[in-house]
Amino acid sequence: MEVPAELAAGEESSALPAAAALPSESQPTPAKPVQITVVTAQELKTIKGDVSATLVRVEYNGAILGDSSKTDVLPGGTANYNFMTSFECNPDGPNSLADVAQKPVLLTVIEVLQKEKKQKEKTVPLGQAVVDLLPLLQGQCSFKVSAPLYAVPPSPLESLHPEAKGGLEVTVCTEEPLLSAAQLSNGNLLSVTLEAAYSVPEAFLPSGPPHNYMVCLQVPAAGEKEFPLLFKNGILKLAGEKEPFPRPKKWSLANIMAPGALNIPDSFIVGGPYEDEDGELNKREDREFRIQAESMKRIVWDMEKRCYLDPAAVVTLQKRITQCQYWPVEVCRMTVAPASKGKTSEADKGDEDKQIFFHGVAYINMEPLLCPGVKQIRGAFRVFTYQDNKVFEKTKCQHSVFQDLRTQLHLTKEGPWTPGISTSLSKAFPSKTQKEDKEKITKDKDSNRRMSSVPKIRLSDASLEAENITNLSLEEQPYVEAGTFLMMEIKLDKALVPRRLREDLTRRVEQMIPPRPPLPPRTDGAKKAVEDYHNRVTSIAVSILSECRELFGKQLPDGGPTDPQTLEEQKRQLNFELNKSGKYFAFKEQLKYAVVKIVREKYQKTTAFETQEEFQAFLSELYVYLMDQMHVALNQLLFEEAAPPVPVLRMTEEQLWLFAREAEVNKDYELASVYHQKRLDQDQRNIQHWLDYGAFRLLLEETTKAQDCFRQALSLDPHHIQSLLLCGVVAVMLQHYAEAEIFFESACCLEPSSIVAWTLSGLFYELQNNNIQAEMAFREAKKLLKAQLAKEGEGGKKQISATSVRSPSPGPGGSAERVPEAVEPALAFAALKEGATAPASAPKAGESSAKQVHPNGQSSTSRDGQPAAPSPVSGLSRLPCTIFMKTVEFLMKFNAIQFVHMALAHELLSFQGGPSCAYYLALARTCLLKEDFSKCQECLREAVRIDPVNPNVWAQKGHLCYLKRDFGEAKECYERTISFVEDAADVHFVYLRLGSIYLEEKEFGRAKETYLLACKNSASCLTWLGVGIACYRLEEMVDAEDALTEANTLNNTNAEVWGYLALICLQGGRQREAEQCYKYTLKLGLRNDSLLREIHAAQQRFGFGNPAF
């Protein structure tokens, strides 16, 4: 059989334009040759035992590149071709980068039969192989493969193993890379795999006229263009066994004679648990339906299509997902007319008579691809009847993709488009073939009732006679009734949003703990208290004996007993001398401390007795015990050793600042005040300490105390801009307007280049209805901002638009669009206050976003009152670009909520295209301060819509869900936050809360990793406590004790730390230390009831640890 040259020109190659994946919008580049060399063929005898001579044909993209010369097959089944050919890869030509991505090189080994007399040589196709050119798009210039050679039926395979096949050794090379460095680093590769459609309508029958089952979705490209990915020729399978896993993915080629060559090398559909899928029907209650549907009637494609995305297309893809998270995937069944035996016109007419029935659509949620590190979406997606209005409402797509593919699908040459069921009545113009089909459907009406009302697309010549078709009923939706769903996978070569590359965490916790001087062993406890009592009694006894020797040494008998009268006289004289010298009271005081320790350590008595009877009973018991122990002690003459000196641990200013912020977030304002005061005790001349303490007092709405702090800072440096501005802000809050004006004027005079100072002055004058002064201040601030942005843009490259810095009221000579400043800002501020006013009481939680915590403990503000540049881990993608957002950033650091609302009101009026993400984020923080969760949620929803890759937005959303006790949603938000390459501003509290959620859900390994990241970022008692708890639950006792010891070093007043140390000492059999830790656990007032019960259970189990035993 002669191999036809047209076998490469299959229908699939004409279904899409040559560059239908994603064409590049960049400048035209010259064509680059791709050289293909077929070296050898191996194991040809396994395909056909008597093969003697062969040649190889190389095809690409529907064109034959050439045939090799006839080559003899060696006895071992090897044929050496060494055949070289090439094609040119041209971004603007037929062989584009898109073709390289999705079309392989097709190699056909052809057997050359021995010719008979006066006859031409006959050739028969022996086998086919494919070579994937994807490595050329991954930066390689050359590669070598051994492509499996699959037999072409009807080759004599009866005596062969079913998997027996030969192979072709092929090399592919280019002189230079197909992709530039920029394309390689910023481009991407999108692959879409369509597996199958399950639970299809009952009307899908293998009998009757042939049908083509098709699925299509559009991929956005650079610019406004969108290109379709069309999957054709789905195979309808009846009920039977499920599709196996893993199974190979297939090429979308129509010119393959060897079925095995359709398999894409090293690419498989692997499946997985339903719960791990990203689509729908992945809940536990859907499991039974999924299992049943996968073994029932279904349509199978198992086909993969790829698209190369140039850098511009990657940006467009991300923008499209941000604008609309749902993408439509259209499904249909097209009637295939039988091949006509008449003239060409009749064949064309048959093409025109094709119809599309069962027009459906599935909606794929593409938003997960915007999560850091996510490269793949795979799952089941329900299919609904296609309706233009509903599709547009959900996906913003205005028309069906099949409308754009009319020419490629040969549906029609002329005539109107009648998509889906967008109208109440759909008319079609049937040809003779369709009339026959209609009569057949009528006969089978009882078995296929849905066929009379299924949605369909009818495209035909408008000149034919019209005939009414049954009205389309919106209530009857075959896909919904059948529960049809598509199994699809969308995969990117690189994530759209990169994920943080974390360093490997140390396995040993002690390696992360800084070296410290060893602490002396603490032996305080019940046993030690008794020992101290013994030592004290012995010491006093020795002193009394010495006193007796001095008084009665000469009177002591040599060996005989002393009469009682003499003893009584000596006792009276000894008491007199001891009282006279004061030694009696000294001995009494020495013994008192030892008795107190026994009461506290042995009897755990630290509070007053409720009744006198209880007190007397305890004294009687204590007296008996002390007398017994005194008799024991008099037989011991031991002396107490001096205790080693205790090293003094001094906290740094940065540590104290971090601890204070943690206490504020945990609503432990008393502890936060202690840490702020400790900072001041270390250095009372540090201005920043006073400003931070004043901000803390503003958080508690203690305005007068905040004023004292800010004025103390100002007294240290009368020219400090931040102090002047904050004194002015507090003066306004206390309605001391004359003082406030002096402070703001001084700040502007001392630092005329401060944008924040001029903006705050404008807000103050506006509050005083002094519109002229307010406008002058805003104009000056805008001028300074414009100059700053021009300087940052290197000579004016980064220009600021007039709309981004304009104030609500114009200057002299303004346009007609001017807004009266005395009216509009007040209205905006009133509206803003209605939804987000200053908190009426002390904040409850969520204050972590109010001030940015830096690893060095300093606020991110400069000396002149302007926000300093954020640190590399600040998580800010860009600086504020308006004077009001710069001011908001400054005010939020010091909890000046009243002025924040005023600035946000102006920001709301200063944008023509709507507020920015920073605006909604700041407003959400103010709402969270007063626990207005509903308003905060609305703001964060808008912020996510505007900037879905901003880590600060997701961190704030996580805090909101955490405070609402929606820990599942909070965990997802926190995990997304820490996955970004940039850190959120308050990443420390993200780690703390995420770690606590992991502990609550018993994911101790992930909790340990999260807390270790927090320790590495900024260690504190709470971070090391989290590490210690996770290690204890993982039974890593050494690491747990190291972590808890470090936590205790940083804060020895945390009762929970002492509680877990008690558990560890119990596990280790260390009785004295267990009692000591348990004592401090109770003394510090442990509030964790479950932990206290666990400690009591462990004490009962081990038989020690509680001095009351």
Side-chain angles (χ1 to χ4, degrees):
M1 179 181 68
E2 183 72 19
V3 178
E6 294 80 6
L7 65 85
E11 64 177 18
E12 197 69 29
S13 62
S14 62
L16 295 175
L22 288 178
S24 175
E25 297 290 336
S26 58
Q27 295 293 330
T29 56
K32 299 177 181 179
V34 178
Q35 181 176 302
I36 303 166
T37 303
V38 184
V39 183
T40 60
Q42 300 173 350
E43 300 182 7
L44 294 179
K45 298 289 186 179
T46 62
I47 298 179
K48 186 176 181 181
D50 58 349
V51 60
S52 59
T54 61
L55 60 88
V56 62
R57 173 172 293 170
V58 182
E59 306 171 40
Y60 184 73
N61 198 13
I64 297 178
L65 303 182
D67 293 352
S68 70
S69 58
K70 184 175 70 172
T71 304
D72 294 333
V73 178
L74 301 179
T78 302
N80 298 317
Y81 299 113
N82 292 320
F83 173 65
M84 183 184 302
T85 185
S86 65
F87 68 90
E88 290 189 344
C89 177
N90 190 344
D92 302 321
N95 298 325
S96 64
L97 295 176
D99 296 320
V100 174
Q102 65 176 340
K103 296 180 181 179
V105 175
L106 179 61
L107 307 173
T108 305
V109 175
I110 301 173
E111 180 184 9
V112 181
L113 302 177
Q114 294 182 355
K115 62 179 180 179
E116 299 178 1
K117 295 180 179 180
K118 297 181 181 180
Q119 290 184 355
K120 295 182 179 179
E121 288 183 338
K122 293 184 178 180
T123 58
V124 176
L126 188 64
Q128 285 187 317
V130 292
V131 176
D132 193 355
L133 299 181
L134 188 61
L136 296 180
L137 299 181
Q138 297 174 338
Q140 298 186 31
C141 291
S142 64
F143 63 92
K144 183 177 182 180
V145 295
S146 180
L149 183 64
Y150 298 91
V152 175
S155 296
L157 300 176
E158 291 78 3
S159 61
L160 299 178
H161 191 274
E163 298 182 357
K165 54 182 177 289
L168 287 176
E169 186 176 322
V170 184
T171 59
V172 181
C173 62
T174 58
E175 296 180 358
E176 55 180 319
L178 296 185
L179 300 179
S180 63
Q183 289 176 314
L184 189 61
S185 60
N186 300 324
N188 212 328
L189 187 71
L190 173 69
S191 61
V192 180
T193 302
L194 177 62
E195 299 179 17
Y198 295 100
S199 189
V200 296
E202 296 179 4
F204 287 9
L205 299 174
S207 59
H211 299 97
N212 192 344
Y213 299 95
M214 298 185 295
V215 172
C216 189
L217 75 157
Q218 295 192 113
V219 178
E224 300 297 329
K225 300 179 181 179
E226 291 188 349
F227 292 91
L229 294 180
L230 181 64
F231 297 85
K232 301 170 62 176
N233 303 321
I235 301 173
L236 178 64
K237 294 186 177 182
L238 299 179
E241 296 183 359
K242 296 173 58 176
E243 300 298 318
F245 289 112
R247 61 182 187 271
K249 298 180 181 179
K250 298 179 180 179
W251 298 105
S252 57
L253 301 177
N255 55 338
I256 297 292
M257 294 181 291
L262 280 173
N263 300 336
I264 301 177
D266 301 323
S267 185
F268 299 92
I269 299 172
V270 296
Y274 301 138
E275 294 79 7
D276 296 342
E277 295 177 354
D278 302 299
E280 307 166 67
L281 300 172
N282 53 3
K283 302 296 188 297
R284 183 175 300 177
E285 55 268 21
D286 301 320
R287 181 178 181 84
E288 184 177 353
F289 169 70
R290 291 280 301 273
I291 294 175
Q292 182 180 2
E294 289 174 359
S295 59
M296 300 301 290
K297 184 167 54 176
R298 58 199 179 274
I299 303 172
V300 179
W301 285 271
D302 288 346
M303 192 179 298
E304 179 184 77
K305 281 183 173 288
R306 303 170 182 161
C307 300
Y308 168 71
L309 307 175
D310 64 6
V314 172
V315 175
T316 304
L317 176 65
Q318 187 169 351
K319 180 180 178 182
R320 168 71 188 279
I321 298 176
T322 302
Q323 293 173 346
C324 186
Q325 67 186 78
Y326 290 101
W327 283 18
V329 178
E330 298 185 36
V331 186
C332 73
R333 186 182 78 172
M334 183 180 73
T335 302
V336 180
S340 175
K341 299 181 181 180
K343 300 180 181 179
T344 305
S345 59
E346 292 293 332
D348 293 341
K349 184 176 180 180
D351 288 338
E352 294 176 4
D353 290 339
K354 295 179 181 178
Q355 300 183 48
I356 291 182
F357 291 93
F358 294 94
H359 192 192
V361 61
Y363 303 103
I364 298 183
N365 185 5
M366 301 289 286
E367 190 180 32
L369 292 180
L370 294 183
C371 296
V374 175
K375 299 187 292 185
Q376 175 180 322
I377 296 175
R378 181 184 180 273
F381 302 93
R382 297 179 185 271
V383 181
F384 305 89
T385 300
Y386 188 94
Q387 301 179 46
D388 286 341
N389 55 346
K390 291 187 177 181
V391 173
F392 177 76
E393 178 182 352
K394 195 159 188 175
T395 68
K396 309 305 179 187
C397 293
Q398 298 181 354
H399 53 78
S400 170
V401 65
F402 290 118
Q403 180 178 2
D404 300 330
L405 296 179
R406 286 179 296 176
T407 305
Q408 288 86 347
L409 296 175
H410 306 289
L411 294 179
T412 183
K413 295 181 179 178
E414 297 177 357
W417 170 253
T418 310
I421 52 175
S422 58
T423 60
S424 59
L425 178 63
S426 178
K427 296 183 178 182
F429 309 96
S431 63
K432 180 179 179 181
T433 304
Q434 281 113 27
K435 289 181 180 179
E436 295 174 356
D437 293 342
K438 184 178 178 182
E439 292 174 0
K440 183 173 182 178
I441 292 172
T442 304
K443 293 178 182 179
D444 299 335
K445 184 176 181 180
D446 293 336
S447 61
N448 300 322
R449 294 181 179 179
R450 291 191 184 92
M451 290 297 291
S452 62
S453 60
V454 296
K456 65 180 179 179
I457 301 175
R458 181 70 182 98
L459 300 175
S460 61
D461 195 331
S463 62
L464 296 177
E465 182 181 358
E467 179 179 335
N468 292 335
I469 303 298
T470 306
N471 291 346
L472 299 175
S473 174
L474 296 180
E475 288 77 11
E476 296 190 22
Q477 302 187 24
Y479 288 120
V480 177
E481 293 176 3
T484 306
F485 62 91
L486 293 177
M487 283 299 301
M488 294 189 66
E489 177 190 73
I490 298 178
K491 187 176 181 181
L492 291 166
D493 187 55
K494 294 179 289 188
L496 292 178
V497 181
R499 187 179 184 88
R500 177 198 309 269
L501 298 176
R502 290 199 186 99
E503 300 175 0
D504 294 333
L505 295 173
T506 56
R507 295 183 179 179
R508 296 285 295 173
V509 176
E510 60 183 13
Q511 297 178 4
M512 295 185 63
I513 301 176
R516 303 184 185 279
L519 293 172
R522 295 292 184 181
T523 58
D524 294 346
K527 186 176 180 180
K528 181 62 169 57
V530 175
E531 291 177 359
D532 288 347
Y533 175 72
H534 288 174
N535 294 336
R536 190 60 60 191
V537 169
T538 303
S539 176
I540 294 174
V542 171
S543 299
I544 293 176
L545 289 174
S546 300
E547 194 71 23
C548 289
R549 289 190 183 97
E550 292 180 4
L551 292 175
F552 316 113
K554 297 180 180 181
Q555 302 178 14
L556 293 176
D558 294 335
T562 306
D563 60 284
Q565 185 177 358
T566 303
L567 287 176
E568 188 67 26
E569 179 64 23
Q570 290 178 351
K571 179 180 178 181
R572 185 188 63 78
Q573 186 178 354
L574 177 62
N575 287 334
F576 174 78
E577 291 295 334
L578 290 177
N579 282 281
K580 178 182 177 181
S581 63
K583 293 182 179 179
Y584 176 82
F585 296 100
F587 293 152
K588 182 179 178 180
E589 289 299 320
Q590 293 177 20
L591 197 60
K592 181 190 295 185
Y593 179 71
V595 174
V596 170
K597 288 182 64 177
I598 287 180
V599 173
R600 291 180 175 177
E601 301 293 342
K602 176 65 179 176
Y603 291 95
Q604 297 288 309
K605 298 293 184 181
T606 58
T607 58
F609 293 92
E610 296 181 357
T611 63
Q612 187 67 22
E613 291 78 8
E614 184 181 355
F615 177 58
Q616 290 299 329
F618 173 72
L619 287 180
S620 299
E621 181 183 357
L622 177 63
Y623 178 78
V624 173
Y625 180 78
L626 292 178
M627 293 302 294
D628 292 341
Q629 294 301 319
M630 183 189 70
H631 290 301
V632 174
L634 290 177
N635 297 324
Q636 302 175 2
L637 297 177
L638 303 177
F639 295 91
E640 183 180 10
E641 297 181 359
V646 178
V648 179
L649 180 64
R650 181 182 175 88
M651 297 295 175
T652 64
E653 298 174 0
E654 292 79 8
Q655 286 178 315
L656 291 174
W657 164 241
L658 177 61
F659 300 163
R661 288 290 296 121
E662 286 182 339
E664 292 174 17
V665 172
N666 293 330
K667 299 184 293 183
D668 192 349
Y669 300 119
E670 183 178 352
L671 181 60
S673 179
V674 170
Y675 283 126
H676 281 295
Q677 291 173 3
K678 284 185 178 181
R679 293 183 79 206
L680 293 173
D681 292 340
Q682 288 189 2
D683 187 3
Q684 291 193 1
R685 300 194 60 82
N686 190 309
I687 296 176
Q688 192 62 49
H689 294 180
W690 286 106
L691 295 183
D692 293 337
Y693 193 32
F696 169 67
R697 289 301 171 185
L698 277 183
L699 185 66
L700 302 182
E701 293 190 333
E702 298 176 354
T703 311
T704 304
K705 292 183 178 181
Q707 184 185 43
D708 295 339
C709 296
F710 295 147
R711 291 194 174 187
Q712 182 65 30
L714 189 61
S715 67
L716 297 174
D717 183 3
H719 296 166
H720 192 257
I721 303 302
Q722 282 190 15
S723 302
L724 284 168
L725 294 176
L726 292 172
C727 284
V729 169
V730 174
V732 171
M733 297 173 68
L734 295 174
Q735 299 183 3
H736 300 163
Y737 299 116
E739 295 180 6
E741 185 174 7
I742 295 174
F743 287 128
F744 288 134
E745 286 183 357
S746 299
C748 293
C749 292
L750 289 173
E751 191 62 53
S753 62
S754 173
I755 298 173
V756 175
W758 285 108
T759 307
L760 285 176
S761 297
L763 294 174
F764 168 73
Y765 286 127
E766 183 182 73
L767 192 63
Q768 298 297 302
N769 294 324
N770 190 342
N771 297 327
I772 298 177
Q773 287 287 89
E775 177 58 31
M776 291 177 59
F778 289 147
R779 189 184 300 116
E780 184 66 23
K782 290 183 291 182
K783 183 175 69 174
L784 292 172
L785 178 62
K786 187 173 182 179
Q788 177 182 325
L789 292 180
K791 184 178 179 180
E792 292 176 355
E794 297 179 357
K797 292 181 180 179
K798 184 178 179 182
Q799 298 295 333
I800 182 169
S801 65
T803 58
S804 63
V805 295
R806 64 180 179 88
S807 66
S809 58
S815 65
E817 299 177 356
R818 60 198 242 162
V819 182
E821 190 164 30
V823 179
E824 289 297 340
L827 293 176
F829 179 54
L832 187 62
K833 284 185 65 178
E834 195 174 280
T837 56
S841 61
K844 302 299 180 185
E847 299 88 353
S848 59
S849 302
K851 183 185 284 285
Q852 179 175 340
V853 180
H854 289 262
N856 60 3
Q858 298 294 331
S859 300
S860 61
T861 48
S862 61
R863 182 181 176 86
D864 64 350
Q866 300 182 40
S871 65
V873 296
S874 67
L876 298 176
S877 58
R878 50 193 170 273
L879 291 173
C881 60
T882 67
I883 60 175
F884 301 110
M885 289 311 300
K886 278 183 172 291
T887 306
V888 166
E889 185 183 41
F890 168 76
L891 294 171
M892 288 296 295
K893 290 181 175 67
F894 297 98
N895 304 315
I897 304 301
Q898 179 180 345
F899 270 82
V900 168
H901 291 156
M902 297 170 61
L904 288 177
H906 278 276
E907 180 72 9
L908 185 62
L909 296 173
S910 64
F911 275 96
Q912 292 180 342
S916 64
C917 176
Y919 166 83
Y920 284 113
L921 188 58
L923 185 56
R925 288 172 175 171
T926 62
C927 294
L928 204 59
L929 282 175
K930 71 164 198 171
E931 296 187 349
D932 188 353
F933 294 152
S934 59
K935 181 67 175 178
C936 180
Q937 187 171 6
E938 294 176 6
C939 296
L940 291 176
R941 186 183 300 115
E942 291 298 317
V944 169
R945 180 185 61 81
I946 296 172
D947 191 359
V949 294
N950 189 332
N952 286 327
V953 176
W954 290 103
Q956 201 66 21
K957 186 176 180 182
H959 295 327
L960 172 64
C961 297
Y962 187 88
L963 296 179
K964 292 170 62 178
R965 305 193 66 80
D966 185 1
F967 297 125
E969 183 69 20
K971 182 174 74 170
E972 294 181 4
C973 295
Y974 286 148
E975 288 175 340
R976 177 178 288 203
T977 301
I978 65 175
S979 298
F980 287 104
V981 175
E982 286 185 295
D983 280 332
D986 53 353
V987 68
H988 179 77
F989 302 103
V990 172
Y991 286 137
L992 286 179
R993 288 177 168 174
L994 179 59
S996 68
I997 294 174
Y998 285 146
L999 289 179
E1000 188 69 22
E1001 296 182 352
K1002 301 187 185 328
E1003 298 183 39
F1004 302 123
R1006 302 182 72 178
K1008 176 183 176 182
E1009 179 183 353
T1010 303
Y1011 279 119
L1012 282 175
L1013 288 172
C1015 292
K1016 190 173 183 179
N1017 182 61
S1018 48
S1020 68
C1021 172
L1022 298 182
T1023 60
W1024 283 115
L1025 171 61
V1027 176
I1029 295 174
C1031 292
Y1032 176 78
R1033 299 304 179 191
L1034 293 170
E1035 299 184 357
E1036 300 172 0
M1037 296 302 173
V1038 177
D1039 287 349
E1041 184 172 2
D1042 290 341
L1044 292 170
T1045 302
E1046 181 67 12
N1048 185 262
T1049 303
L1050 296 175
N1051 180 11
N1052 61 359
T1053 63
N1054 190 303
E1056 197 165 354
V1057 174
W1058 285 109
Y1060 278 99
L1061 283 173
L1063 285 175
I1064 290 177
C1065 293
L1066 288 170
Q1067 295 281 353
R1070 292 137 61 183
Q1071 177 178 352
R1072 186 159 47 190
E1073 296 175 64
E1075 292 180 358
Q1076 172 75 7
C1077 295
Y1078 176 66
K1079 179 192 72 173
Y1080 282 110
T1081 300
L1082 297 181
K1083 185 177 181 179
L1084 295 171
L1086 179 64
R1087 300 177 183 177
N1088 191 336
D1089 295 334
S1090 61
L1091 176 59
L1092 192 59
R1093 289 193 298 269
E1094 185 178 1
I1095 294 173
H1096 289 159
Q1099 290 171 343
Q1100 293 288 343
R1101 186 168 64 255
F1102 292 106
F1104 65 89
N1106 190 338
F1109 289 167

